[in-house]
Amino acid sequence: MPHQNTIAVILAAGKGTRMHSDKPKVLQTLLGETMLGLVAFAAGNVAAQVLTVVGHGQDLLRTAHPELAGGFVLQEQQLGTGHALQMAWDRVRASGASHCLVLNGDTPLVTPEIVEDLLQTVREGVDMAFLSTVLPEAGTFGRVLRGADGEVLGIVEAKDYDPERHGPDTGEVNTGLYCLNVATAENFLFSLTDDNRAGELYITDLVGLAVQAGHEVRAVRRSESQELLGVNSPLELAQAEERLRSGIVNRLLSEGVMLHQPEAVVVGPFAVVEPGAELTGPCRILGKTTVARGARVGAFCQLTDATLAAGAEVREFSHLESARLEPGAIAGPFARLRPGALLMENARVGNFVEMKKSVLGPGAKAGHLTYLGDAEIGAAVNIGAGTITCNYDGANKHTTEIGAGAFIGSNTALVAPVRVGENAIVGAGSVITKDVPDAALAIARARQANLLGRGKKP
Ligand code: UD1
Ligand code: CA
């Protein structure tokens, strides 16, 4: 449960030059989820309100994350992480929160548990806390300075770090996750200066300022928090993505999900795969997909926001997006189910069948080479190979209705809006432009003429 007295600020205004991309860095994805989405998930689980400081590419951020847009704060010029927090401070203050979490937007592996832990440290009475870790090579990260008794003295950015002045490098670095007592931070946030190599306002200077004023600041050092160090390059993104992927796959295996070739199975962080489900790699199960117990996904499939009920099956090389399979339904191999495709109990679609915003009733079948768009198809209907619902007239989309038990012959074009009645039969090769009554046989094609002797000479 999020804490009512806690607000979170995600710093996400930077460009991320090292990604060589026009997208703002925090929109780069891991297992189909943006870095910002993952950080916001961790923050939103702990804090009652989440603000995001945006600048570079803010329109793209708004489009990608409308659910966060109400908490957007603009930092027009990226004058540093301290400046970014200043931009959000009016809203932090107005929220009335006593505690403020600050998260770098480029740390996608942060979890609610880690954020909660840090918050608890401050709730125990410390004025300010941040998460640190120890690296064999401190590299470009901010160095944590400690005094003789191990007490935190401050953070010095890599560019400004000088062993003569700051003491030998201990390898302890700042991960960029902070928890501030709002009343304490308020005293220093607007005293930050750009008196440093980068000429920026550093959020990290808050630590030294608070310590000098006699406040208690704690660096919570975690050995496993290397993974929280920011993602700045394509290589670091790939490493973070693989760490997230293998963590999820190992969890699923331990829970009792059957995974073949687990090293090639990708399951997104917000997907749910129940114990007793079976996935064969390579496959990608993304977004808010749910795979219930006993459901199966074959190799080379990609599912995004799909729902597979118990015993449903998606066969090899199929692609599902916001589609749903009820118990016993089967799709593929080579099926493409687009948003709004619904296969009711025991319905089946076979190879090269595309469905969009269409329902296939219980036990209905579309075995081969078919497009079903804006169609409502009743129980036990058989759709012949090559059937096309002509749902678009160039301006509007129209609906096709097919009653229960109907039989649609191969290579039929159903020109919508149109209705085929229950138990009707449509002859192969028909172009159906008018409704077909229940139990009627409709044939709408040119009659065959056999002209004797007009073939080849023997
Ligand atoms: C920062 C820390 C460093 C820490 C490291 C951990 C500072 C000064 N340094 O360095 O101590 O070891 O993270 O990964 O904070 N941002 C803004 N506005 C700005 C500048 C940055 O919103 O004006 C955002 C960026 O989009 C990014 C985050 O803040 O998500 C961190 O900025 P970045 O430039 O990546 O900081 P680092 O140099 O990595
Ligand atoms: Ca960074």
Side-chain angles (χ1 to χ4, degrees), residues 312-363:
E313 190 179 340
V314 177
R315 295 188 174 160
E316 291 72 14
F317 294 98
S318 293
H319 191 281
L320 276 64
E321 190 188 346
S322 302
R324 180 186 176 89
L325 270 63
E326 292 192 342
I330 300 175
F334 298 99
R336 169 134 191 248
L337 303 185
R338 293 168 49 206
L342 167 60
L343 270 58
M344 294 178 72
E345 271 190 20
N346 301 319
R348 296 181 66 155
V349 298
N351 40 239
F352 309 109
V353 173
E354 175 180 345
M355 277 178 78
K356 185 224 63 165
K357 214 174 159 196
S358 290
V359 180
L360 211 47

Side-chain angles (χ1 to χ4, degrees), residues 13 39 54 61 82 117 157 161 166 227 265 276 302 342 393 407:
V39 175
V54 299
L61 288 170
D117 250 30
E157 287 307 297
Y161 174 73
H166 301 113
E227 60 193 53
V265 170
Q302 175 158 311
L342 167 60
D393 60 13
F407 180 96

